[in-house]
Amino acid sequence: MAMVTSNMGAYQKTQMMKVVCRKKERDRDHKNNIHPYKVVEITPPPKCLGIRCFPPNLQCGESVTIEGQAYTVSAVTHRYQLRKGKYEPSEKRLDVLSSSRYILNLYLENLLEQS
């Protein structure tokens, strides 16, 4: 699980959000290699599963476990925002499906292609 903390200075007008991953979820060999993702289950209706830490090389089709339930990654999205003439990363998002639903979708797509 991930913890979200906010730092607000006395003279700052905007709130700074910082995501801190727990020790057991981060890669212990690389302390600067923390990659928080916003996880959304895309089965209708979409359901936000929170912010989680995963390795940076996560790809579509990989299996992840969140709160004891198995999910399969359906899409990985990196969003950028233009700030001061440069694009900066603003959000990393994982779209996931329950593993059983992912397999069912693959089966149904295969049937559709064969017909």
Side-chain angles (χ1 to χ4, degrees):
M1 288 207 185
M3 214 170 46
V4 179
T5 60
S6 63
N7 299 328
M8 183 111 169
Y11 299 105
Q12 289 182 334
K13 291 183 180 179
T14 60
Q15 185 176 3
M16 301 293 290
M17 296 297 288
K18 182 180 176 186
V19 177
V20 180
C21 298
R22 287 189 183 173
K23 208 176 210 180
K24 67 179 181 179
E25 289 184 349
R26 68 180 174 200
D27 190 3
R28 292 182 183 155
D29 297 333
H30 307 286
K31 293 189 178 182
N32 295 330
N33 205 7
I34 299 171
H35 296 275
Y37 290 89
K38 179 181 179 183
V39 182
V40 178
E41 183 178 11
I42 58 173
T43 305
K47 178 179 155 187
C48 184
L49 299 175
I51 298 174
R52 310 285 177 180
C53 292
F54 291 107
N57 58 351
L58 207 58
Q59 300 175 358
C60 296
E62 288 193 42
S63 181
V64 294
T65 303
I66 300 171
E67 295 177 358
Q69 195 168 11
Y71 293 96
T72 302
V73 177
S74 181
V76 181
T77 307
H78 295 262
R79 294 191 181 190
Y80 295 87
Q81 208 170 24
L82 185 62
R83 293 185 188 141
K84 299 180 182 177
K86 294 182 181 179
Y87 283 101
E88 296 178 356
S90 65
E91 179 185 53
K92 294 179 184 178
R93 177 178 159 166
L94 286 181
D95 292 337
V96 297
L97 288 169
S98 65
S99 293
S100 58
R101 179 66 186 204
Y102 184 78
I103 293 169
L104 178 65
N105 284 353
L106 287 177
Y107 175 72
L108 293 174
E109 286 175 7
N110 191 21
L111 280 178
L112 184 62
E113 287 177 6
Q114 290 177 359
S115 62

